[in-house]
Amino acid sequence: MVDVEAQNLAGDGEISPAIFKKANLPVTLKFEDVVYKIKTEQSGKFFKKTAKSQEKLILKGISGMVLPGEMLAMLGPSGSGKTTLLTGLGGRLTSGRLSGNITYNGKPFSNAMKRNTGFVTQDDVLYPHLTVTETLVYTALLRLPRTLTKAEKAEHAEAVIAQLGLSRCRHSIIGGPLLRGVSGGERKRVSIGQEMLINPSLLFLDEPTSGLDSTTAQRIVSTLWDLANGGRTIVMTIHQPSSRLFYMFHKVLLLSEGNPLYYGKGSSALDYFSSIGFSLSVAMNPADFLLDLANGISTADSMEDHAAIKQTLVASYKTHLLESVTAELAADDQLQMATDDKQLRRWSNTWWDQFSVLFRRGIKERRHESFSGLKIGQVLAVAILTGLLWWQSDISHLQDQVGLFFFYSGFWGFYPLFQAIFTFPQERMMLAKERSSGMYRLSSYFMALTLGDLPMELVLPTVFFVITYWMAGLKPDPRCFFAGLFTLLYSVLCSQGLGLALGAAVMNQKSATILGSVIMLTFLLASGYYVQHVPAFISWIKYISISQYTFKLLLGSQFKPGETYPCGNGKTCLVEDFGMIKPVGLGGHAIAVIALAVMLVGYRLVAYVALMRIGVTKK
């Protein structure tokens, strides 16, 4: 859908990337004595957690500065604090206690700075069914300011595609673990391209070469080097770069267990460690040598005390480097932010623009899952089997017809519930990523998802009802048919809302599924079909049961008070006196409709409130 839109807006040729040659606003990033602490729960002998907690130091006084046109690489073994520091510098730490002085052109992190900052996470969080062009065009429509037309935004997306060398795969889908798409390097460049759309002055990248071969990693870092040459400030974490990559970094920060071991020019790192007694004894990648030192391993002696080496390196940093780092930070205090922060407190686009883009993107992505062959086949198979089992039943088989309506309420209670439960847990990473970038309001996202799912969620139950209604020989009255169909679709929306609320509140697919099963089974048991004489102390459950209200409305769509049925020996009895109908009754339809309406809205409000804790950013 957006492929055609993008081609109409910007054509199919490559756009010159000249508009991205220079940064909008050069940014000097300074961080001084950064300390980060988190509280950890102590494990008990019989219980997972106890009331006692301890503070753990993750970052232990780290300082440095990155100028426009420079690329800083943070090295260190796993658990050294690289990603934590990067996240803190990018203004994205939402827990723990961060202290120290972090400034951007002499000012703290702000809305203005946020709009000039790009952040590429280690995991490429992308929609698998969208093409490269669709991914970048949708991002451009959401992130670029409303002062630009749609055509100009699409032109920016085309410029990024050309600059990052993605023209060859522009019409290929992104893909995922079970869906073949672009390569890992191309996927990483798409993630970088999403941040490049805003032409950031400051770009953070977490492990941009992770899982890539050396040639692809070289291409990624070369692209970043070119971006730095355009006056941008680049900060990245990298685990084990090749020697070719290592010498491309302007500055290197080496960390070990949250302690800085080296900060300075990459070309001077080996000379520094040699001057304090740690020199290369064999020819090797300098990055590997630095990582060995960060792990407490010296090539001179394989039997050394690793802890003692780390302590020596930490002490050497404080003795030989800390003073020069402090002097460097003090020497550059003249730059100030030139952007008016007040002008950037508004969202980039209006609520309606955000909603319309998210609505189109959501339908484009989720239609593949909603209308998968497996789901369609499942519903059709159950529908045909149901129609055959209840084939041409009539009012003389009243118990069978009542059983069919109860089956409707049960099957279409569970099915949409489980479909909806997976929605937000699967979307969590994408929502957190995009919300932390300030792409859209939570309300526009939620409304787009809710309304976008309506046509997809209602098609299959409609097909199911049409097939089973006529196969089962229910009343050929249009009013009865449409009343039953309305009730079924109404029930689907309520069950979907419950699933959305559970998924958003729990955010764990397995736990939410178990909880949803227990709740829906409770609703079914209390709906008046299985147990007709429910004890008073637990009978209140039926008043919050989706199944009970659905069952009542389905019965009301087919039977009316005063209607009779043959009850044996040539006698006729009132339908409302039938054993499985009497506890539910054929009246009170208005109350049932209102109760379901409260649930339909209420469950979605719960889901919305639960989502507010994910990727929340103050504007």
Side-chain angles (χ1 to χ4, degrees), residues 418 421-422 425 503 506-517:
F418 290 139
I421 275 177
F422 297 118
V506 179
M507 276 299 170
N508 180 284
Q509 294 181 3
K510 185 176 180 179
S511 300
T513 300
I514 294 173
L515 183 59
S517 299

Side-chain angles (χ1 to χ4, degrees), residues 9 18 67 90 115 118 161 168 225 234 238 370 396 438 457 468 522 585:
L9 291 175
L67 298 171
R115 295 293 170 85
I161 289 174
R168 183 179 62 85
W225 194 84
I234 310 289
I238 193 162
S370 297
S396 63
E457 292 296 329
T468 56
T522 303

Side-chain angles (χ1 to χ4, degrees), residues 398 562-563 565 573-583 586:
L398 184 58
E563 192 172 350
Y565 72 100
C573 303
L574 291 173
V575 170
E576 61 259 36
D577 292 334
F578 185 71
M580 294 181 178
I581 295 180
K582 190 173 183 178
L586 295 179

Side-chain angles (χ1 to χ4, degrees), residues 572-611:
T572 58
C573 303
L574 291 173
V575 170
E576 61 259 36
D577 292 334
F578 185 71
M580 294 181 178
I581 295 180
K582 190 173 183 178
V584 179
L586 295 179
H589 295 161
I591 295 176
V593 170
I594 294 172
L596 289 177
V598 171
M599 295 181 192
L600 188 149
V601 176
Y603 287 140
R604 282 168 171 78
L605 286 177
V606 171
Y608 181 80
V609 172
L611 287 179

Side-chain angles (χ1 to χ4, degrees), residues 370-595:
S370 297
F371 294 130
S372 67
L374 184 63
K375 290 184 179 179
I376 294 174
Q378 176 188 11
V379 171
L380 289 178
V382 175
I384 293 172
L385 178 61
T386 301
L388 292 175
L389 288 172
W390 272 276
W391 178 260
Q392 296 301 309
S393 64
D394 54 33
I395 199 167
S396 63
H397 305 103
L398 184 58
Q399 181 172 342
D400 290 347
Q401 290 192 345
V402 173
L404 176 61
F405 295 135
F406 185 76
F407 175 74
Y408 279 157
S409 65
F411 181 75
W412 288 108
F414 274 100
Y415 191 88
L417 172 75
F418 290 139
Q419 298 298 315
I421 275 177
F422 297 118
T423 300
F424 291 126
Q426 291 175 343
E427 290 264 326
R428 180 176 186 172
M429 293 181 66
M430 181 66 74
L431 179 60
K433 169 192 169 183
E434 295 184 336
R435 286 273 291 148
S436 62
S437 298
M439 287 178 65
Y440 46 73
R441 300 168 178 83
L442 180 61
S443 58
S444 61
Y445 164 82
F446 189 81
M447 289 300 296
L449 182 141
T450 302
L451 296 180
D453 281 349
L454 286 183
M456 295 182 285
E457 292 296 329
L458 299 182
V459 168
L460 290 180
T462 300
V463 172
F464 182 94
F465 187 79
V466 170
I467 293 174
T468 56
Y469 191 92
W470 300 113
M471 289 184 69
L474 299 177
K475 288 183 178 178
D477 185 336
R479 289 178 296 178
C480 295
F481 172 80
F482 285 109
L485 178 60
F486 169 80
T487 299
L488 187 66
L489 298 183
Y490 202 22
S491 168
V492 166
L493 294 180
C494 292
S495 298
Q496 182 196 36
L498 176 59
L500 292 175
L502 291 175
V506 179
M507 276 299 170
N508 180 284
Q509 294 181 3
K510 185 176 180 179
S511 300
T513 300
I514 294 173
L515 183 59
S517 299
V518 172
I519 293 175
M520 191 55 69
L521 283 172
T522 303
F523 286 170
L524 285 173
L525 291 174
S527 61
Y529 183 82
Y530 292 120
V531 184
Q532 299 176 20
H533 304 288
V534 181
F537 66 87
I538 200 173
S539 62
W540 58 268
I541 295 178
K542 67 181 181 182
Y543 297 112
I544 60 171
S545 169
I546 297 175
S547 304
Q548 194 261 354
Y549 292 118
T550 303
F551 187 38
K552 175 188 283 288
L553 290 175
L554 285 172
L555 291 175
S557 71
Q558 196 72 196
F559 308 115
K560 298 293 181 288
E563 192 172 350
T564 61
Y565 72 100
C567 53
N569 298 324
K571 297 180 179 180
T572 58
C573 303
L574 291 173
V575 170
E576 61 259 36
D577 292 334
F578 185 71
M580 294 181 178
I581 295 180
K582 190 173 183 178
V584 179
L586 295 179
H589 295 161
I591 295 176
V593 170
I594 294 172

